[in-house]
Every structure is written in C-alpha cells, then in structure tokens.
Amino acid sequence: MQLRMTNQREMILRELKKSKKHLSADELYERVKKFMPRISLATVYRNLEILSDASMIRKLEISGRQKRFDSELEDHDHIYCVQCHRIENLDIGDKEVNLTEVDTRGYAITGRRLEVTGVCPKCQKKNSKKNAKK
Amino acid sequence: MQLRMTNQREMILRELKKSKKHLSADELYERVKKFMPRISLATVYRNLEILSDASMIRKLEISGRQKRFDSELEDHDHIYCVQCHRIENLDIGDKEVNLTEVDTRGYAITGRRLEVTGVCPKCQKKNSKKNAKK
DNA sequence: TTCTCTGCAAATAATTTGCACCCAT
DNA sequence: ATGGGTGCAAATTATTTGCAGAGAA
C-alpha cells in the first residue's frame, strides 16, 4: 500500500509536530480546522492511525478517555495527572530503568515506558482552595 | 457518603478478586451475570468507579480501548501486547526503577508504573503463520 | 489513468446518566 | 424511614466505516 502525502496528511503531521503536547484526535482536528475548515474529523482519525502504523508518529498507550498521539518517536516517559488528565514528558536517565534481568515472559519487546502518576501543581492548588472552603 | 455493601457490589468485588486478570467492565459483567442474571452493565460500571474511588480496587491507566480494573492494590508493573491488547503482570524488582533523582515537575506523586510493550508469544506465533502464507 | 484519500453521514463501541423503584443500614 | 443503589433505557463520547467523488502519483 502506497502512502500519499496529501495536504490534509501534511497539515496533520505539521500541527502535531508544532505542538509539543500529546494531542488527541479532536484537539488536533480543532487546530487543523483553522487552516482547512472543511477537513473531517474522520480524516484526522484515519491519518493518525496510518501515520502511527508507518512509524511517522507514535500512538501513546497512556489512558484517559482518549487516545493521544505524539510526534516524538523516541521512547520517553510521562507523568500523568490523575485529576485533570494532563500528560507531560518526564526526563529520566536511561540508568533509572534496567530491564536486562527481568523475565519478559516470551514477549518480543517493542518498547518500555515509565509512567508516573500524580497530581499536577495546578490541581494541587485547586484542591487546597476547595478544602479551604469546606 | 456512606458505602453500602450490596449483593451486586460484593459479587463484583469477589469476581474481580477471583480472576487474577485485569478485567474490563464488560468482561466482569459477563462473569457476574452467571450468578446474577438481572444485573445491569451500568451497575458494574458504577461499582467499578465507586470501588476504585474508595481504593478497594485499582483502575489501570493503561490504554487499549477499554478501561481495566485490578483487585491488586499494590503498585506493580505490566507487560502489554500491542497486537491483542493482552495485559499481564510483570515482576520486576524495586531496584529496577529509581525515581529519587528525577525531576517530577512539582507533581505530588501517587504512583509509578513501568509498562513494557511488546508482542506476546501467541501473537508471534500467529504472525509467523501469516508470513509463511504470503 | 489508477488507486488511495477525503468528506459526510451513519454505525459501533465504551461509558455515563435520568428516573422510578428497591433495599441495606 | 431514609438515602444510597439498582435496572432499564436513553444519552454521551470516542472512534470507525461505507460510499461516492476528488486528487496525488
């Protein structure tokens, strides 16, 4: 199957790269729509799948309600706010995770990801206000 | 808000504990239905939320299409098949992950999870058959 | 020209919610 | 008895798909 570089696909790729965040399909749709008002959300979904199959972008397996995509291909780690679902990159050294001695149950390993969960500074602030009211 | 221990809730908790796997709401629904045919899927969803809010079970933030729940409360790690979405526990020593020197960007850390992705043995077998046919 | 891609609308899938009745405390 | 819980159906949310026409190679 040949991949064609359509205007839509190019734009989606460009906007995802431009944003340093981990966007969901509809966030990306909103951005791309500014330049291509007639683009369809289905096109965004389809391209995100196609581009990640082609390893041009990365589909994040982090949850939340929506799938998220990242233009950064390298394995890297995330910190995830359990309250507002914000996801940010986490910079840890290679030395912090060492899989060499772990029994991986016969899996052919494609990647590893360290995900740290917590409450982000903004939500902490929100919470302390709430508690003060009570 | 008082928590009541209804038959449905008890059964949901029991079945989740009985299964050592990471079940989704509808998988659990199918199991519980054998004993309580009139239970509603909405009840299962509601209870899974309530029980995880009450820290009686754990909501896994691993993605895939569905949310998954685990009766094991301890932080532990997973290996995830990117092809069939199977999730299994991974037994790694504490020593393998060390967050003490990592900049956590002001987050109040609630947990960490190492997620390894790969292709499980079954899918590897499937794939080699497919490729042979071609 | 050829075949992938697109927009649109309709279909699915996963989850949530309103409501009237039920039942654990 | 009282207020949280349940079943049911309908509503939302996220994603996928069928189809006919558009456009990249």
Side-chain angles (χ1 to χ4, degrees), chain B residues 64-77:
Chain B
R65 4 187 145 296
Q66 294 170 288
K67 285 182 188 162
R68 290 184 176 276
F69 297 83
D70 191 346
S71 62
E72 177 55 66
L73 290 174
E74 296 278 302
D75 251 342
H76 59 281
D77 301 290

Side-chain angles (χ1 to χ4, degrees), chain B residues 10 21 23 29-30 40 47 52 58 64 68 88 92 123:
Chain B
E10 200 172 4
K21 293 190 211 157
L23 300 178
Y29 172 62
E30 290 304 326
S40 156
N47 274 300
S52 68
R58 169 181 276 254
R68 290 184 176 276
E88 300 183 63
I92 72 165
C123 286

Side-chain angles (χ1 to χ4, degrees), chain B residues 4 6 8-9 38-39 43 46:
Chain B
R4 290 181 184 175
T6 59
Q8 289 87 335
R9 185 163 297 164
R38 297 185 54 78
I39 198 174
T43 298
R46 273 187 289 233

Side-chain angles (χ1 to χ4, degrees), chain A residues 10 23 36 54 58 65 70 84 92 101 122 125 130:
Chain A
E10 201 172 3
L23 299 178
M36 307 180 106
R58 170 181 277 255
R65 359 189 148 298
D70 191 345
C84 70
I92 71 167
E101 287 170 32
K122 280 192 187 170
K125 208 171 285 178
K130 256 189 217 164

Side-chain angles (χ1 to χ4, degrees), chain B:
Chain B
M1 180 182 58
Q2 280 282 9
L3 268 209
R4 290 181 184 175
M5 191 47 66
T6 59
N7 293 334
Q8 289 87 335
R9 185 163 297 164
E10 200 172 4
M11 179 68 75
I12 286 165
L13 203 47
R14 189 156 67 77
E15 286 301 307
L16 186 58
K17 283 202 170 127
K18 208 164 77 181
S19 151
K20 300 295 179 196
K21 293 190 211 157
H22 309 86
L23 300 178
S24 60
D26 73 302
E27 285 167 349
L28 197 47
Y29 172 62
E30 290 304 326
R31 290 174 186 231
V32 170
K33 218 167 41 168
K34 286 179 188 154
F35 303 98
M36 308 181 105
R38 297 185 54 78
I39 198 174
S40 156
L41 178 56
T43 298
V44 176
Y45 273 107
R46 273 187 289 233
N47 274 300
L48 288 172
E49 276 311 308
I50 289 169
L51 291 170
S52 68
D53 282 352
S55 299
M56 299 177 70
I57 63 174
R58 169 181 276 254
K59 193 193 302 188
L60 299 180
E61 296 291 348
I62 293 175
S63 124
R65 4 187 145 296
Q66 294 170 288
K67 285 182 188 162
R68 290 184 176 276
F69 297 83
D70 191 346
S71 62
E72 177 55 66
L73 290 174
E74 296 278 302
D75 251 342
H76 59 281
D77 301 290
H78 297 103
I79 189 162
Y80 172 76
C81 178
V82 293
Q83 205 167 321
C84 69
H85 302 284
R86 174 197 316 280
I87 297 170
E88 300 183 63
N89 289 337
L90 194 60
D91 194 22
I92 72 165
D94 266 357
K95 62 181 185 305
E96 311 294 350
V97 180
N98 173 13
L99 281 180
T100 48
E101 287 170 33
V102 175
D103 171 20
T104 51
R105 298 164 164 263
Y107 276 60
I109 305 302
T110 59
R112 59 128 261 268
R113 175 176 49 256
L114 179 67
E115 203 181 307
V116 178
T117 53
V119 182
C120 73
K122 279 192 188 170
C123 286
Q124 288 177 47
K125 207 171 288 178
K126 246 183 273 169
N127 295 344
S128 59
K129 277 184 198 160
K130 256 190 217 163
N131 293 334
K133 277 185 194 168
K134 281 181 190 170

Side-chain angles (χ1 to χ4, degrees), chain A residues 14-118:
Chain A
R14 188 156 67 79
E15 285 301 307
L16 186 58
K17 284 202 169 125
K18 206 164 79 183
S19 152
K20 299 294 179 198
K21 291 190 210 158
H22 309 86
L23 299 178
S24 60
D26 72 303
E27 285 167 350
L28 197 47
Y29 172 62
E30 290 305 326
R31 291 174 185 229
V32 170
K33 218 168 40 168
K34 286 178 189 156
F35 303 97
M36 307 180 106
R38 297 186 53 77
I39 196 174
S40 156
L41 178 55
T43 298
V44 175
Y45 273 107
R46 273 187 288 232
N47 275 301
L48 288 172
E49 277 310 310
I50 289 169
L51 291 170
S52 70
D53 282 353
S55 300
M56 298 176 71
I57 63 173
R58 170 181 277 255
K59 195 193 302 186
L60 299 180
E61 296 292 347
I62 292 175
S63 124
R65 359 189 148 298
Q66 295 170 286
K67 286 183 188 164
R68 290 181 176 278
F69 297 83
D70 191 345
S71 62
E72 177 54 67
L73 290 174
E74 297 278 302
D75 251 340
H76 60 281
D77 300 291
H78 297 102
I79 189 161
Y80 172 76
C81 178
V82 292
Q83 206 167 319
C84 70
H85 302 284
R86 174 197 316 280
I87 297 170
E88 301 184 62
N89 290 338
L90 194 61
D91 195 23
I92 71 167
D94 266 354
K95 62 182 184 305
E96 310 294 347
V97 180
N98 173 12
L99 280 180
T100 49
E101 287 170 32
V102 175
D103 170 20
T104 51
R105 297 163 164 264
Y107 277 60
I109 306 303
T110 59
R112 59 128 260 270
R113 174 176 51 254
L114 180 68
E115 203 181 308
V116 178
T117 54

